[in-house]
């Protein structure tokens, strides 16, 4: 017997009564046997596992190993329990297939005419093969060459014209399976329920002997789930002379309750199946109903029927309908999940936009100076409270931005922020804007209108320029602030709202109270929490930061690429007193970005006004001549006088209060009101 290390080895495959194939064993390469087409030897036998056994070489010996197959491997009639060293003549049995292990092909082919074909070329001319030259020729003449087929386009199973029912080259079951495959492919591309139902009906009419039918689904309940007992027609179709007739309640209830498909033939006398219309005319001769299941629950049904007596359904139609119904259920489940994901994505995008809006609002409060740090601290303390906030500051300092920061940092941030300028409207229009009006309340009131209070319910209402509100309207406004209900203009219905009010003003409300122009009780109701926004001239260290911020903004808006400011331009910005505060700075930078011709903004590009701020007029100048006199408010004179007194006493508050003839607590309040602490000289 020749040694396996010095000669060729072969596996001869036997199919039925004939040897069918030859596989040459190559040293160093293993051979796998199994049902999967990726094996070296593919065995078409149901009792063969996908990866059943393996033949490999160890130290010149060929061995056989079972790969934990389901039905095991036999070697010469005995069950293989461990690796087996193959010897010539061993018969490997896997299911009904037999393979012989040999070194010499003549041992397996005494009659070479029985050889059918080989998947690999067999070299039988090696020394010791024992075969004659004539035998070699007869063997190779019997072998057929390997055939490889390439397919570039999609499968013909997805091509409708190639699957005609008249094509007998395909068995009926195969044609139905191919139609189901194509239908599932089309259902997966549907983007909404109606189009999905239309595709399903087209597939059902193509694959069954029906001429009318519909897809029906349970109606959604309040939670959005399809758990309602009522069903609705999503899509219907009729190829007969009659329009589609809805499924009978008896049949629908049976299918939805039991979750089983039903087929009834020759039902012309059965009224429970809904085969007659209101005039008693026959509508159906055969009926099929199949449940549409989603995640184990019945969410709808497929209703099909025939209207011609010479056409009837068969059990294969029922099987096909049931398969389509289950496929529709899976497609609906996937479609619902896609829609849910799309809704969640839209909500997430909306939330992100909302957050970006909030962040962008808060980022408008630019400045890192000490006075702005205190403003930020006041915002943080005021935000969690429900108390009314009074924001003071000159025009253009950013009082509305502070109000927005308070709102978006508060528990009411998810609700509305409504802003109204009291100075922009007459008293009658302001009342209508605040409290709303009924239809016909006045000329032009063609519909009921919600007021700003109702719009800001559960949120925040900012009233800018509160000092401009008329005296008669102040009383009604005060009642709402105190939690009392109110009535719309021209109405008698009581309206109650939950609104946090933020008021803003650049007026001296204390002076207006003293002069009778502003209600004292409303002043105390508004003056719960106070935030003083300093003018830009009181925080000059923020000017470069603000200038860079506005430069970046208007570069983005205009598409220009201005690199910055020349030293002389920045010096001009720092020296200017900014009577219009941050609003004026923003407009100056915008104008410069639009008109500048170089890469840097120079002092010539800055258009600054000649107006003076109230702080530029000192109290001692009141005795000057008419040509030097600058009108100034009493509050500014008081601010300057208190500051000079504090500086004179080296900020000894007790001594300063004695000189001013006011209480120490009153002096502290005025220091906070005018922001004098920011102007206190720093110790050297």
């Amino acid at each position: 017997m020749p040694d396996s290390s010095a000669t060729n080895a072969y596996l001869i495959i036997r199919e039925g009564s004939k040897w069918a194939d030859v596989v040459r064993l190559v040293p160093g390469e293993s051979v796998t046997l199994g049902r999967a087409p990726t094996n070296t030897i593919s065995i078409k036998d149901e009792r063969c596992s996908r990866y059943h056994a393996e033949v490999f070489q160890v130290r010149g010996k060929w061995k056989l190993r079972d790969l934990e197959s389901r039905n095991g491997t036999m070697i010469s009639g005995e069950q293989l329990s461990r690796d087996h060293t193959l010897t010539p003549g061993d018969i490997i049995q896997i299911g009904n297939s037999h393979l012989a292990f040999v070194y010499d092909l003549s041992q397996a082919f005494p009659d070479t005419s029985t050889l059918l074909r080989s998947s690999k070329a067999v070299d039988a001319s090696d020394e010791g093969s024992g075969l004659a030259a004539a035998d070699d020729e007869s063997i190779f003449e019997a072998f057929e060459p390997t055939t490889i087929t390439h397919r570039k386009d999609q499968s013909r199973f997805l091509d409708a014209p190639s699957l005609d029912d008249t094509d007998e080259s395909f068995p009926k079951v195969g044609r139905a399976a191919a139609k189901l495959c194509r239908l599932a492919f089309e259902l997966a591309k549907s983007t909404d329920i109606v189009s999905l139902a239309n595709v399903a009906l087209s597939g059902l009419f193509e694959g069954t002997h029906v001429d009318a039918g519909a897809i029906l689904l349970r109606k959604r309940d309040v939670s959005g789930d399809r758990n309602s007992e009522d069903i609705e027609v999503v899509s219907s179709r009729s190829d007969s002379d009659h329009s589609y007739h809805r499924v009978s309640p008896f049949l629908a209830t049976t299918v939805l309750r039991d979750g089983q498909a039903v087929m009834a033939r020759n039902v012309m006398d059965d009224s429970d199946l809904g085969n007659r219309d209101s005039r008693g005319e026959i509508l159906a001769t055969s009926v099929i109903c199949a449940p549409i299941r989603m995640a184990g629950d019945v969410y709808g049904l497929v209703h099909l029927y025939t209207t011609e007596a010479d056409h009837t359904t068969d059990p294969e139609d029922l099987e096909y309908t049931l398969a389509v119904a289950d496929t529709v259920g899976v497609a609906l489940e996937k479609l619902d999940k896609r829609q849910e994901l799309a809704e969640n994505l839209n909500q997430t995008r909306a939330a992100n936009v909302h957050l970006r809006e909030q962040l962008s609002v808060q980022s408008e409060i630019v400045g890192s100076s000490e006075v702005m740090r205190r403003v930020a601290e006041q915002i943080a303390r005021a935000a969690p409270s429900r108390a009314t906030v009074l924001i003071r500051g000159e025009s253009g300092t950013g009082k509305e931005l502070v109000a927005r920061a308070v709102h978006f940092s508060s528990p009411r941030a998810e609700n509305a922020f409504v802003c109204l300028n009291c100075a922009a409207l007459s008293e009658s229009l302001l009342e209508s804007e605040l409290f709303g009006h009924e239809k016909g309340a006045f000329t032009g009131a063609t519909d009921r209108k919600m007021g700003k209070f109702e719009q800001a319910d559960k949120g925040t209402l900012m009233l800018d320029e509160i000092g401009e509100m008329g005296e008669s309207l102040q009383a009604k406004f005060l009642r709402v602030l105190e939690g009392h209900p109110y009535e719309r203009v021209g109405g008698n219905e009581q309206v109650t709202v939950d609104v946090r009010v933020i008021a803003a003003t650049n007026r001296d409300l204390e002076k207006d109270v003293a002069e009778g122009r502003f209600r004292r009780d409303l002043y105390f109701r508004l003056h719960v929490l106070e935030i003083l926004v300093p003018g830009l001239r009181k925080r000059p260290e923020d000017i470069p930061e603000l200038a860079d911020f506005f430069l970046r903004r208007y570069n983005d808006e205009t598409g220009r690429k201005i690199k910055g400011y020349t030293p002389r331009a920045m010096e001009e910005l720092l020296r200017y007193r900014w009577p219009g505060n941050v609003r004026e700075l923003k407009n100056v930078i915008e104008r410069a970005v639009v008109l500048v011709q170089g890469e840097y903004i120079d002092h010539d590009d800055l258009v600054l006004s000649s107006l003076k701020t109230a702080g530029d007029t000192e109290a001692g100048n009141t005795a000057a001549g008419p040509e030097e006199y600058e009108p100034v408010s009493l509050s500014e004179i008081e601010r300057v006088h208190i500051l000079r007194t504090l500086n004179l006493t080296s900020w000894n508050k007790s001594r300063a209060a004695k000189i001013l003839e006011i209480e120490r607590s009153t002096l502290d309040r005025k220091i906070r009101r005018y922001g004098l602490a920011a102007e206190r000289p720093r110790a050297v």
Side-chain angles (χ1 to χ4, degrees):
M1 180 181 299
D3 184 71
S4 62
S5 63
T7 187
N8 298 316
Y10 305 92
L11 285 178
I12 314 299
I13 306 170
R14 185 180 184 88
E15 292 182 357
S17 61
K18 294 183 179 181
W19 295 105
D21 210 343
V22 178
V23 176
R24 181 180 178 181
L25 301 180
V26 180
E29 296 182 8
S30 62
V31 175
T32 57
L33 303 87
R35 197 174 70 253
T38 54
N39 287 285
T40 308
I41 300 177
S42 180
I43 301 175
K44 306 302 181 183
D45 192 321
E46 290 299 325
R47 287 182 293 178
C48 177
S49 300
R50 287 181 57 81
Y51 298 95
H52 196 103
E54 180 183 17
V55 176
F56 57 96
Q57 192 180 48
V58 178
R59 296 179 181 177
K61 303 290 185 181
W62 289 99
K63 292 182 177 292
L64 173 67
R65 174 182 295 169
D66 184 83
L67 300 178
E68 298 182 357
S69 61
R70 184 177 67 246
N71 295 314
T73 303
M74 304 291 290
I75 181 70
S76 299
E78 295 182 1
Q79 184 79 24
L80 184 65
S81 58
R82 58 184 179 181
D83 290 355
H84 174 78
T85 302
L86 293 170
T87 59
D90 281 347
I91 303 298
I92 303 170
Q93 182 178 353
I94 298 177
N96 289 327
S97 299
H98 296 75
L99 299 91
F101 175 78
V102 298
Y103 290 146
D104 191 342
L105 287 177
S106 61
Q107 299 172 356
F109 298 111
D111 180 9
T112 58
S113 63
T114 62
L115 187 63
L116 298 181
R117 68 180 185 275
S118 175
S119 60
K120 293 185 179 180
V122 179
D123 185 4
S125 62
D126 292 343
E127 183 180 354
S129 65
L131 291 178
D135 292 335
D136 294 346
E137 293 178 0
S138 61
I139 290 175
F140 287 107
E141 287 176 357
F143 289 163
E144 296 179 0
T146 301
T147 301
I148 300 175
T149 303
H150 294 274
R151 287 284 280 118
K152 183 177 181 180
D153 299 326
Q154 70 176 17
S155 169
R156 60 175 176 156
F157 290 161
L158 300 179
D159 186 15
S162 67
L163 296 173
D164 191 359
D165 285 339
T166 61
D167 187 359
E168 297 299 333
S169 62
F170 287 96
K172 186 173 182 179
V173 174
R175 294 198 301 272
K179 290 177 181 178
L180 280 174
C181 177
R182 188 178 69 252
L183 180 59
F185 185 76
E186 295 298 326
L187 289 174
K189 297 190 295 184
S190 301
T191 58
D192 58 83
I193 293 179
V194 175
S195 63
L196 187 147
N198 291 335
V199 171
L201 279 179
S202 298
L204 287 165
F205 275 55
E206 178 186 349
T208 60
H209 302 92
V210 299
D211 52 28
I215 304 293
L216 302 95
L217 295 177
R218 292 182 187 268
K219 293 183 178 179
R220 296 186 183 274
D221 54 21
V222 293
S223 63
D225 297 327
R226 294 189 182 278
N227 295 323
S228 173
E229 294 300 324
D230 297 330
I231 57 175
E232 58 183 349
V233 176
V234 178
S235 178
S236 63
R237 173 177 167 180
S238 176
D239 294 345
S240 66
D241 296 334
H242 302 275
S243 60
Y244 167 74
H245 186 67
R246 189 183 176 97
V247 63
S248 68
F250 168 77
L251 192 56
T253 303
T254 301
V255 175
L256 293 174
R257 182 187 65 241
D258 298 338
Q260 296 183 2
V262 176
M263 181 181 70
R265 294 184 291 180
N266 302 320
V267 296
M268 300 169 65
D269 295 326
D270 192 344
S271 60
D272 287 340
L273 299 179
N275 59 294
R276 295 177 182 271
D277 61 12
S278 58
R279 296 174 296 179
E281 294 184 4
I282 297 175
L283 292 177
T285 59
S286 298
V287 179
I288 294 178
C289 260
I292 297 175
R293 290 181 279 254
M294 295 171 57
D297 296 324
V298 179
Y299 284 174
L301 57 88
V302 175
H303 176 221
L304 304 172
Y305 60 87
T306 59
T307 59
E308 298 181 8
D310 55 345
H311 285 78
T312 183
T313 58
D314 55 35
E316 290 186 357
D317 290 336
L318 176 62
E319 292 296 327
Y320 185 81
T321 303
L322 185 58
V324 172
D326 288 336
T327 306
V328 169
V330 174
L332 278 174
E333 187 175 3
K334 301 301 181 185
L335 183 60
D336 285 350
K337 289 182 178 179
R338 286 204 304 269
Q339 291 175 346
E340 182 180 357
L341 288 173
E343 292 174 0
N344 292 338
L345 180 60
N346 289 334
Q347 292 175 0
T348 303
R349 286 175 175 170
N352 288 338
V353 170
H354 184 60
L355 288 174
R356 284 197 297 270
E357 289 176 353
Q358 294 183 25
L359 291 174
S360 65
V361 167
Q362 294 182 359
S363 67
E364 293 283 353
I365 305 178
V366 177
S368 54
S369 62
E370 181 65 20
V371 291
M372 290 308 297
R373 185 186 62 80
R374 286 199 296 269
V375 170
E377 292 176 353
Q378 292 175 322
I379 292 172
R381 288 195 296 268
S385 172
R386 295 170 53 91
T388 304
V389 179
L390 179 62
I391 302 176
R392 293 176 179 266
E394 299 173 11
S395 178
T397 54
K399 297 187 289 295
E400 182 178 343
L401 296 179
V402 173
R404 288 181 179 273
V406 172
H407 169 73
F408 288 118
S409 301
S410 72
R412 298 171 178 261
E414 296 297 327
N415 299 311
F417 176 83
V418 180
C419 185
L420 178 64
N421 191 332
C422 298
L425 301 170
S426 64
E427 185 171 351
S428 59
L429 289 178
L430 180 59
E431 182 179 10
S432 173
E433 285 293 319
L434 277 176
F435 306 111
H437 61 253
E438 298 290 346
K439 181 179 180 180
F442 50 82
T443 302
T446 57
D447 294 294
R448 170 189 281 187
K449 178 182 178 181
M450 291 176 56
K452 299 299 184 184
F453 270 108
E454 288 182 82
Q455 295 175 22
D457 191 25
K458 303 295 189 300
T460 304
L461 173 62
M462 179 196 175
L463 297 177
D464 199 6
E465 305 296 347
I466 188 69
E468 305 298 331
M469 183 180 290
E471 296 182 41
S472 60
L473 188 56
Q474 292 176 21
K476 187 173 182 179
F477 177 57
L478 176 61
R479 283 187 55 82
V480 180
L481 281 183
E482 292 177 343
H484 297 287
Y486 66 91
E487 298 173 356
R488 301 185 187 92
V489 176
N492 52 20
E493 178 184 350
Q494 297 289 311
V495 180
T496 303
V497 293
D498 174 19
V499 174
R500 182 184 190 178
V501 172
I502 298 178
T505 184
N506 60 359
R507 294 175 60 97
D508 185 351
L509 291 184
E510 290 82 0
K511 178 183 177 182
D512 290 344
V513 170
E515 295 177 356
R517 290 196 298 268
F518 200 81
R519 292 179 62 99
R520 180 181 296 269
D521 48 3
L522 178 57
Y523 167 78
F524 287 117
R525 185 66 182 82
L526 292 173
H527 197 255
V528 179
L529 297 175
E530 183 179 79
I531 298 177
L532 180 63
V533 184
L536 185 56
R537 66 183 177 278
K538 297 180 181 179
R539 50 182 183 118
E541 57 268 41
D542 290 335
I543 291 177
E545 188 176 352
L546 284 164
D548 289 338
F549 173 79
F550 290 126
L551 177 61
R552 290 193 302 270
R553 169 189 283 186
Y554 294 120
N555 267 339
D556 293 340
E557 289 184 3
T558 61
R560 304 206 61 181
K561 298 181 180 179
I562 309 302
K563 294 182 178 180
Y565 304 88
T566 64
R568 189 172 178 182
M570 184 57 65
E571 181 182 351
E572 191 77 15
L573 292 175
L574 291 171
R575 185 171 58 244
Y576 185 59
R577 296 288 289 171
W578 299 109
N581 293 295
V582 180
R583 181 185 292 120
E584 183 183 6
L585 174 62
K586 182 183 72 170
N587 294 334
V588 167
I589 301 303
E590 182 180 12
R591 183 188 303 111
V593 170
V594 173
L595 299 179
V596 68
Q597 296 181 351
E599 293 183 342
Y600 292 88
I601 295 176
D602 202 355
H603 72 287
D604 294 334
D605 301 314
L606 302 175
V607 181
L608 305 176
S609 72
S610 58
L611 295 176
K612 293 184 178 181
T613 64
D616 288 335
T617 302
E618 301 295 341
N621 291 342
T622 55
E627 68 280 4
E628 299 177 359
Y629 177 76
E630 183 74 20
V632 63
S633 67
L634 291 175
S635 62
E636 183 61 21
I637 294 176
E638 182 182 51
R639 187 193 71 81
V640 173
H641 182 59
I642 292 175
L643 178 61
R644 286 188 167 188
T645 304
L646 287 169
N647 290 334
L648 179 66
T649 60
S650 299
W651 278 75
N652 186 323
K653 295 182 182 179
S654 298
R655 184 181 171 193
K658 186 176 181 180
I659 294 174
L660 295 170
E661 296 183 352
I662 58 176
E663 295 293 330
R664 167 68 183 270
S665 59
T666 303
L667 177 59
D668 288 334
R669 187 174 69 253
K670 291 181 180 295
I671 290 174
R672 290 194 301 272
R673 178 190 306 167
Y674 296 126
L676 298 179
E679 301 185 35
R680 180 176 181 174
R682 298 183 179 180
V684 180

